[in-house]
Amino acid sequence: MNSKRQHRTSLKDLANELGVSIATVSRALRSSQEISKEMQQRVKELAKKMNYRPNPFAQSLRKDAPKIIGVVVPNLVTHYYAAVLDGIEDAARREGYSVISANSHESFEDERQAIDNFVSMHVEGIIACLSQTTTDYSHFEEISDMGIPLVFFGRTCMTDRFSSVMANGDEAAQLATQHLLDTGSRRIAFIGGPNHLDMVRRRKHGYLEALRENHVEIDRDLVVCGMIDYDVAIHAVEQLFKGEKRPDAILAFNDIITFAAFTAIKNCGLRIPDDVALIGFTDDVHTAFVTPRLSVIEDQSHQMGVRACELLLRSIDGDQKVYKEIVPQQLVIRETSAKHENLKKRT
């Protein structure tokens, strides 16, 4: 008896062989006009050569299959993305949908593969947040051309074509920077992520606007935008404190960078907020339990997930309007930001 299990040729096998996406192969086999005649012929010839056969049983069940939404996020282990996913699941469940999530691990290739997988699973629609390495949006254009509804949240792109839900990061950053200025800080650093991300640009813009409005000189050496990575952020912050004109406050882009900055300040033997004030964009549940307690700009991440899902369900139901929704953030002042208050307590 042959113990080896026979391998059925899949759409993924054909796509890998041709170096194209699963969606392209699927459309070529259906003779879609969106695919060139040459590509259609190549796909069909390879399908015949590799003995590809569609699964008629699976196809017959599609009408009765569960309604599934695909969600791709950059880092599922962080509280922010877990809370957004929780909101998506709550909204989906109310309307009889199930949710399957994929973690891109901040990788463009993993993100693109996740989208291809969702297409092959025949999901009803997709909700996505860009990875920090994504600068090519062709995989999203492709599923749009296929008529698969798509909504972005947080980190978005092509907002004239796809509905999106985002926070008011520019306003929140400006408010946080103003608070740092009002409480005694003058050399405020912004530690962000990659500049091509719209979320980074919005938050950095708000920070710069606050400095301009207060006639505070902008020192470009204090604006550090690199990879969203804990160790990278610790190194970047520590390097700032090795210079002669070190910062006396930090505005951190997200939860990973916030806790990295907190650690780096401590590593340098500095006091928070007396030597360095700190505010971070994060709604992590641990921010109130570190010492000193962190001042933060809180996302309504669960609500963001709910709104993203509601917009996707509208699109699934045939609404072709492109929505741009803002879920406001809240500045929560605790102990890491106000220099004046700490000075008063000591006098």
Side-chain angles (χ1 to χ4, degrees):
M1 181 177 179
N2 189 354
S3 61
K4 290 186 178 180
R5 186 176 179 181
Q6 184 178 3
H7 174 72
R8 287 180 177 270
T9 300
S10 66
L11 289 175
K12 183 177 180 181
D13 294 328
L14 298 177
N16 288 342
E17 186 73 20
L18 292 166
V20 297
S21 69
I22 293 174
T24 296
V25 170
S26 177
R27 286 186 290 176
L29 290 172
R30 298 197 309 269
S31 302
S32 168
Q33 294 182 355
E34 297 171 2
I35 305 299
S36 68
K37 294 293 184 182
E38 179 185 358
M39 179 56 73
Q40 289 183 35
Q41 183 177 350
R42 287 179 62 196
V43 171
K44 291 175 182 177
E45 287 178 354
L46 182 63
K48 184 176 181 180
K49 179 181 177 181
M50 296 180 67
N51 197 28
Y52 168 75
R53 296 173 183 270
N55 187 334
F57 179 69
Q59 290 179 329
S60 69
L61 291 177
R62 280 178 192 163
K63 289 185 179 179
D64 300 320
K67 299 184 294 183
I68 297 173
I69 291 170
V71 182
V72 57
V73 299
N75 190 344
L76 193 52
V77 299
T78 66
H79 181 267
Y80 170 75
Y81 292 114
V84 171
L85 182 60
D86 190 60
I88 292 171
E89 290 177 341
D90 282 352
R93 191 182 304 113
R94 288 195 293 267
E95 300 300 325
Y97 285 79
S98 298
V99 175
I100 295 180
S101 61
N103 192 343
S104 74
H105 305 283
E106 296 284 12
S107 162
F108 165 71
E109 292 299 335
D110 287 355
E111 176 185 281
R112 185 169 61 178
Q113 185 61 61
I115 296 299
D116 272 353
N117 290 343
F118 287 152
V119 170
S120 66
M121 292 168 61
H122 301 280
V123 297
E124 301 294 323
I126 296 172
I127 299 173
C129 180
L130 298 177
S131 84
Q132 65 174 309
T133 58
T134 299
T135 56
D136 174 4
Y137 310 130
S138 58
H139 52 312
F140 294 119
E141 293 175 329
E142 193 171 57
I143 64 170
S144 176
D145 292 341
M146 294 177 68
I148 300 174
L150 170 66
V151 171
F152 285 106
F153 76 90
R155 308 175 194 169
T156 66
C157 66
M158 296 182 288
T159 53
D160 58 333
R161 184 168 180 176
F162 302 110
S163 290
S164 58
V165 181
M166 62 188 75
N168 60 335
D170 50 348
E171 296 175 12
Q174 186 167 354
L175 185 63
T177 306
Q178 186 64 54
H179 167 73
L180 291 170
L181 291 168
D182 291 342
T183 53
S185 297
R186 282 297 173 267
R187 290 184 53 76
I188 304 170
F190 175 81
I191 313 298
N195 279 309
H196 65 265
L197 291 176
D198 62 327
M199 181 186 285
V200 174
R201 294 196 301 269
R202 290 194 301 271
R203 295 178 181 184
K204 182 168 66 175
H205 175 74
Y207 153 80
L208 294 172
E209 281 299 293
L211 297 182
R212 293 188 186 103
E213 287 192 1
N214 288 272
H215 307 289
V216 174
E217 182 181 357
I218 296 172
D219 185 344
R220 294 295 174 180
D221 290 336
L222 296 180
V223 182
V224 182
C225 293
M227 293 295 291
I228 302 171
D229 178 88
Y230 184 76
D231 292 329
V232 169
I234 286 180
H235 178 72
V237 174
E238 289 179 346
Q239 289 299 114
L240 285 178
F241 292 124
K242 290 181 180 179
E244 294 182 1
K245 297 181 179 180
R246 70 187 190 190
D248 61 2
I250 291 175
L251 178 63
F253 167 71
N254 71 351
D255 48 0
I256 292 173
I257 294 177
T258 297
F259 282 104
F262 189 91
T263 301
I265 294 168
K266 296 280 190 176
N267 288 347
C268 292
L270 300 171
R271 298 168 301 169
I272 304 173
D274 305 72
D275 300 318
V276 187
L278 175 64
I279 298 180
F281 278 85
T282 175
D283 61 355
D284 193 291
V285 293
H286 301 105
T287 54
F289 302 104
V290 297
T291 304
R293 296 183 305 149
L294 274 165
S295 294
V296 295
I297 301 165
E298 285 189 346
D299 281 298
Q300 296 187 66
S301 44
H302 183 275
Q303 182 62 21
M304 184 168 286
V306 169
R307 293 303 299 136
C309 188
E310 289 173 348
L311 291 184
L312 184 70
L313 294 177
R314 285 187 187 182
S315 182
I316 291 172
D317 289 340
D319 188 346
Q320 297 183 5
K321 182 179 177 180
V322 175
Y323 295 88
K324 298 178 184 179
E325 296 214 359
I326 302 294
V327 177
Q329 296 171 306
Q330 180 181 3
L331 177 61
V332 179
I333 300 303
R334 297 192 181 109
E335 297 171 351
T336 63
S337 60
K339 291 179 182 294
H340 281 172
E341 291 178 11
N342 282 270
L343 289 171
K344 289 175 182 178
K345 289 177 183 177
R346 296 203 308 271
T347 58

